[in-house]
Amino acid sequence: MSQTDTLAAADRAAALRAQLHHHAHLYYVLDAPVLPDAEYDKLFQELQALEAAHPELLSPDSPTQRVIGQVLDGFAPVRHAVPMLSIRTETDTEASGARAFDERVRRQLELGEDAPPVEYAAELKFDGLAINLRYEQGVLVQAATRGDGETGEDVTQNIRTVGQIPLRLKGVHAPVLEVRGEVYMRRDDFEALNERQREAGEKTFVNPRNTAAGAVRQLDPALAAKKPLSFFAYGLGEVQGWVVPETHSALLDALQAMGMPVCEHRVVTQGAAGLIAFHQAMGAQRDGLPFDIDGIVYKVNSRALQQRLGFVTREPRWAVAHKYPAQEQLTRLLAIDIQVGRTGKLTPVARLEPVFVGGTTVSNATLHNLFELRRKGVRVGDQVIVRRAGDVIPEVVGVLKAERAAYVPNFRMPRSCPVCDSATVREKGGMDYRCSGGIFCPAQRKQALLHFAGRRAMDIEGLGDKLVEQLVDAGIVDSLPSLYKLGVAKLAALERMAEKSAQNIVDALEKSKTTTLARFLFGLGIRQIGETTAKDLARHFGSLDALMDASVEQLLQVRDVGPIVAQSIHMFFAQPHNREVVAQLRAAGVHWPEGEGAAAEQGPKPLLGKTLVLTGTLPTLSRDAAKDLIEAAGGKVSGSVSKKTHYVVAGEEAGSKLDKARELGVTVLDEAGLQALLLSASSAQSA
C-alpha cells in the first residue's frame, strides 16, 4: 500500500474518531443525540475496519478501545471497582447474526463439530441508562452511571426516587454486592408525562430513553422524582462475601429473589437455533412491549465458560448485542405537502429521499402539525431523522441543523384546502388546521357519508364502511344528496350486493327521510356539534332556517354553546356550498316537524340542571331511549360518575360506575325509579 493511501487512511480514521467522540458526548453526556443509532454504528464499524487494516492507526483514545463518556459537573465521581464495559454489536439478520456469535464462541472454546451445542441465556436489550447499584450489608449505599466505564457519576439521591429499586435486599447481607441494570421509562408513563407537560403548557419530551437519562442526571432529586422511572437488573459489579451462581440465568433468578425487578422476557436455550428463535419471537412482540428495546443480548450461560472466553479490549467474548433493524435513520427532506384527512384535518407530510428504516423503505413521513414542525425546526432541504416502529406511521423526529446550507423560510399552512379550496381554520387554542368544507370536501366524503348514515344521525341501516367505500370509489355517490338517488339496479350491480339487500338499502334511505331536526343537524357533521348540542340547537331555534340565519350572538344564547362552537356553526352555514347541500337534501324529501324544538323548549323541564349517568341494561328502555327521556326533561347525561352527578340509573350488569356512585354517595335509581323521578319532578313543577 502506498504512503498516500496510508495517509488517507490516517486522515479518515482521525475524522471518524472526532465524529464519534462528538456524537457520543451528545448521547451519553448531554442526553441530546442528533444522529440515529444506525448512522453511529456505520461510523463505528468503518473505524473498526480501518484500524483492522492499519494496526498502526490504533490509539488508546480511539472509541473502539474504550467506553465513551465523562462525569458531568455537579456530580461526584465514582470509580468502578469492576469496569462497566460495553458489548459487541451484531446488526445482521437474526440467522446470520446469531450464527456468527455461536461460531465464534465454539471456535474460541475449541469445540469440535460433534460437541454438544453451547447453552446460552438470551434477554432483551433495553433502551435506557446503565446504572451500578452498590449494596453494603444488603443496604443501598450508592448508585452510579456507567460514565466512561471506569468512572461514573454519583446519582444516588435520584435513584432512591425509583420505587422499583429496593433500598434493602431481601435475605442478603454481603459486605459488598453491586447490581447492574437499566433505568428506563415505560411507554405509558412517557405518554402520561408528555400529556401533563402539554396541559401545563410546557415543552414535551422526545423519547423515553432521553427522558429517563435526563431524570437520572437531574441535579435536583425533587424534579427527578416527578418523572416516572423503572428498572431492570441484568448483572453484577463488585462482589464480596456472596457466592455467585454458576450460570447467568441462575444469577437473574437470585437477583429476583432479592427483590430486584428482572425482565420476564428471557430464556435459556441451546445453540444458534435457540438464539434465532428467541430473536424472531421477541421481534414479533417488540411493538407490543410496554417499553422500548433495540435488540437481544446473547450470553454464554455458564460462568466457568465465560471466564475461559475472557475479554478482548473493550468487550466480553462471551456476550453480544444483536440489534433489530434501526427504527431511526437519516435522510433528506425534499418537500412538505399537505394531506387532508377524513375529518378535514390538515397534516403536513414530509416527502423524503427514500430510506430503509424499521424494516421497510420510507419516502413519506408525518410532521403532525405546524406547531410540532416549528418546534423541531424542520425546513425543506434539511437532513432529518425519520423514525418508524412497527405499523406506526413514520414520523420526522429531529433535524441536523448544522447540515443546513443556507437560510430557508419557515413552512406556512395554506389558507385554503388543497382539495376543495374551502377556507382553512384553526380553532382558538388548538393546534390543528382544518378544512371548513365539511360535507362538500371530497377528501372528507366517505367520513361524511358514514357519519350522516349513523344510528344516532339519519339511521340508514345497512349503509356501512364497505358499501360507502364501493359507492364513492365507483363514482356512484359524490355527495350526501346523491344517496337519495340510489336505485335497486345500481346497488344490486355492486360486488356482494344481492337484489334483496339492495332493496333493503333503498327502503332504509326512504325511511330516513322522515327524521328530527336534531338528528339532521348532527348528521351534517358540523365541527364541534355533538348529539347533545344538536338537540339544544333544535330546541332553541325550532326550525332549520332560523338556525342557518342566526348570528354568532344569537347562537351564544343556546345552552352550553360557547364562542368556538358558535363560530363553527356560523361559518358552516355561511358557506354557499353547505347551504346548497342542505337545499338538495330537502328537495330529495328529507323532512322533520318544523317548530318541534321551539315547542319543546317552552315545555316543562323537571330535570333542568341535573346530571345523570346510565350504566348497565335496563328492563324495557334502551340506553338511547333513556337518554332521550332525560334530555327531553332538561337533564344532562354524562359518561362518568363524579361528585357533580345527581343520579346514577343502573340496570343489569352495572359495572364500575355503580361502584363509584356508592363510594361517592350518589343516589342510585333503577328504571322504575327513573320513571318515578320524571313523573314526580314534572308534577312538582306543574304544581
Side-chain angles (χ1 to χ4, degrees):
M1 182 174 292
S2 69
Q3 185 176 4
T4 301
D5 290 338
T6 302
L7 290 173
D11 289 342
R12 180 57 181 161
L16 287 169
R17 288 192 196 105
Q19 288 184 68
L20 290 168
H21 277 303
H22 170 68
H23 289 294
H25 177 80
L26 292 175
Y27 187 91
Y28 291 106
V29 179
L30 301 182
D31 298 320
V34 297
L35 198 67
D37 287 353
E39 293 295 319
Y40 182 93
D41 290 343
K42 288 177 187 176
L43 297 175
F44 190 93
Q45 289 161 10
E46 183 183 353
L47 181 58
Q48 277 185 317
L50 270 175
E51 290 175 344
H54 302 274
E56 70 276 10
L57 298 180
L58 271 172
S59 63
D61 66 341
S62 173
T64 64
Q65 302 302 299
R66 61 180 294 170
V67 181
I68 304 169
Q70 69 182 56
V71 177
L72 285 173
D73 291 338
F75 291 106
V78 175
R79 183 79 176 176
H80 296 303
V82 176
M84 293 184 73
L85 302 179
S86 61
I87 58 178
R88 178 172 177 158
T89 298
E90 290 281 359
T91 56
D92 292 337
T93 64
E94 61 268 9
S96 57
R99 288 196 186 105
F101 172 62
D102 182 55
E103 288 169 2
R104 283 198 305 273
V105 168
R106 293 182 67 84
R107 184 170 60 253
Q108 289 157 0
L109 291 175
E110 298 180 347
L111 298 177
E113 291 183 5
D114 296 333
V118 176
E119 183 176 83
Y120 296 106
E123 57 200 50
L124 306 184
K125 184 178 183 298
F126 311 109
D127 200 6
L129 185 72
I131 292 290
N132 185 80
L133 305 174
R134 185 178 179 88
Y135 289 85
E136 295 181 359
Q137 305 302 328
V139 177
L140 178 65
V141 297
Q142 187 182 74
T145 62
R146 181 168 66 177
D148 64 359
E150 299 288 340
T151 302
E153 306 150 354
D154 189 332
V155 291
T156 309
Q157 295 307 310
N158 290 346
I159 289 301
R160 284 180 180 274
T161 70
V162 182
Q164 284 189 326
I165 295 178
L167 299 180
R168 179 186 290 274
L169 298 175
K170 294 179 183 177
V172 177
H173 305 283
V176 176
L177 180 61
E178 290 185 346
V179 178
R180 289 176 176 173
E182 199 91 357
V183 169
Y184 67 97
M185 186 173 288
R186 289 173 54 95
R187 290 170 179 164
D188 54 357
D189 286 335
F190 175 73
E191 292 300 328
L193 175 63
N194 265 348
E195 184 59 32
R196 292 195 295 273
Q197 291 291 110
R198 282 188 284 268
E199 289 176 357
E202 301 288 338
K203 177 183 175 182
T204 56
F205 300 98
V206 175
N207 58 53
R209 189 268 166 197
N210 289 353
T211 310
V216 170
R217 286 162 147 161
Q218 170 61 247
L219 291 173
D220 182 354
L223 294 177
K226 293 180 180 179
K227 293 175 182 163
L229 300 177
S230 298
F231 178 79
F232 279 135
Y234 54 62
L236 296 176
E238 182 182 10
V239 177
Q240 296 179 21
W242 186 70
V243 179
V244 181
E246 295 182 354
T247 64
H248 180 71
S249 57
L251 166 62
L252 294 181
D253 291 339
L255 290 175
Q256 194 165 36
M258 294 176 196
M260 280 287 170
V262 178
C263 184
E264 63 178 340
H265 299 288
R266 52 191 169 97
V267 297
V268 174
T269 190
Q270 308 294 319
L275 298 179
I276 293 168
F278 185 66
H279 191 280
Q280 290 175 334
M282 293 315 304
Q285 298 179 46
R286 181 184 184 187
D287 298 318
L289 293 172
F291 46 80
D292 287 344
I293 64 170
D294 55 6
I296 301 296
V297 177
Y298 307 146
K299 297 175 181 177
V300 173
N301 200 28
S302 165
R303 289 186 61 251
L305 291 182
Q306 289 181 11
Q307 291 170 0
R308 277 180 58 187
L309 289 163
F311 295 81
V312 53
T313 313
R314 65 190 291 274
E315 57 200 27
R317 289 191 176 95
W318 45 267
V320 71
H322 190 182
K323 285 194 172 184
Y324 289 115
Q327 292 182 313
E328 292 185 357
Q329 285 285 12
L330 201 62
T331 189
R332 183 140 334 251
L333 175 62
L334 303 177
I336 298 176
D337 294 342
I338 292 294
Q339 183 179 64
V340 183
R342 289 163 63 98
T343 62
K345 177 183 173 182
L346 272 63
T347 301
V349 176
R351 304 304 181 196
L352 309 165
E353 283 185 358
V355 62
F356 190 78
V357 56
T360 190
T361 299
V362 171
S363 56
N364 302 317
T366 182
L367 289 161
H368 296 292
N369 56 56
L370 182 65
F371 295 87
E372 276 292 292
L373 191 154
R374 292 277 174 84
R375 184 181 68 79
K376 294 170 183 173
V378 177
R379 301 189 185 184
V380 174
D382 281 347
Q383 285 271 73
V384 294
I385 299 168
V386 179
R387 178 177 176 81
R388 181 184 183 276
D391 294 328
V392 177
I393 297 171
E395 65 173 328
V396 172
V397 296
V399 58
L400 297 188
K401 293 180 183 177
E403 300 294 323
R404 191 176 290 157
Y407 170 76
V408 178
N410 268 324
F411 174 79
R412 296 182 181 278
M413 294 295 284
R415 293 184 178 182
S416 59
C417 172
V419 176
C420 72
D421 205 35
S422 297
T424 57
V425 294
R426 178 172 71 86
E427 292 158 6
K428 187 176 181 181
M431 291 189 175
D432 295 326
Y433 283 75
R434 294 183 179 274
C435 165
S436 63
I439 54 179
F440 170 76
C441 182
Q444 302 173 62
R445 186 170 293 152
K446 292 177 182 177
Q447 182 65 27
L449 289 165
L450 285 169
H451 179 79
F452 185 76
R455 184 171 57 86
R456 300 294 291 168
M458 302 300 286
D459 194 19
I460 306 173
E461 191 174 347
L463 194 64
D465 292 38
K466 292 182 179 178
L467 180 55
V468 166
E469 288 276 347
Q470 288 188 75
L471 291 171
V472 174
D473 291 345
I476 298 171
V477 170
D478 61 3
S479 66
L480 299 184
S482 62
L483 279 173
Y484 293 100
K485 297 177 182 177
L486 289 172
V488 173
K490 276 189 178 180
L491 286 166
L494 295 173
E495 185 181 351
R496 298 179 184 176
M497 180 65 72
E499 188 169 333
K500 183 176 180 181
S501 299
Q503 184 62 58
N504 289 339
I505 296 293
V506 171
D507 292 343
L509 283 165
E510 188 62 32
K511 182 181 176 183
S512 74
K513 290 180 181 180
T514 301
T515 185
T516 65
L517 177 56
R519 282 180 173 272
F520 182 76
L521 287 174
F522 179 60
L524 290 178
I526 305 169
R527 181 81 179 147
Q528 302 289 345
I529 304 304
E531 289 178 65
T532 301
T533 303
K535 290 175 181 177
D536 288 341
L537 290 167
R539 291 191 190 107
H540 185 89
F541 288 101
S543 73
L544 181 60
D545 292 333
L547 172 59
M548 289 198 297
D549 294 336
S551 65
V552 171
E553 290 72 19
Q554 290 172 318
L555 289 164
L556 287 170
Q557 295 173 17
V558 181
R559 185 179 69 168
D560 294 335
V561 170
I564 293 176
V565 176
Q567 188 61 47
S568 179
I569 298 167
H570 187 264
M571 177 176 287
F572 180 89
F573 287 118
Q575 297 191 63
H577 52 68
N578 287 336
R579 284 179 170 262
E580 177 60 26
V581 169
V582 170
Q584 289 180 23
L585 285 169
R586 283 172 137 176
V590 178
H591 64 282
W592 51 87
E594 288 285 2
E596 59 173 9
E601 186 70 16
Q602 296 166 5
K605 297 293 177 187
L607 295 184
L608 192 63
K610 305 294 185 184
T611 299
L612 291 83
V613 172
L614 298 168
T615 181
T617 304
L618 299 177
T620 64
L621 289 175
S622 68
R623 183 72 62 90
D624 290 343
K627 184 178 180 181
D628 287 342
L629 282 173
I630 292 167
E631 290 178 342
K636 178 181 178 182
V637 177
S638 174
S640 59
V641 181
S642 71
K643 292 180 180 179
K644 296 181 179 180
T645 304
H646 294 89
Y647 300 99
V648 168
V649 182
E652 290 293 325
E653 299 181 4
S656 59
K657 293 177 183 177
L658 179 57
D659 297 334
K660 184 72 171 179
R662 288 169 175 163
E663 179 186 326
L664 295 175
V666 176
T667 302
V668 178
L669 306 172
D670 57 11
E671 182 180 313
L674 172 63
Q675 297 282 17
L677 174 67
L678 290 167
L679 182 62
S680 63
S682 179
S683 299
Q685 192 176 62
S686 299

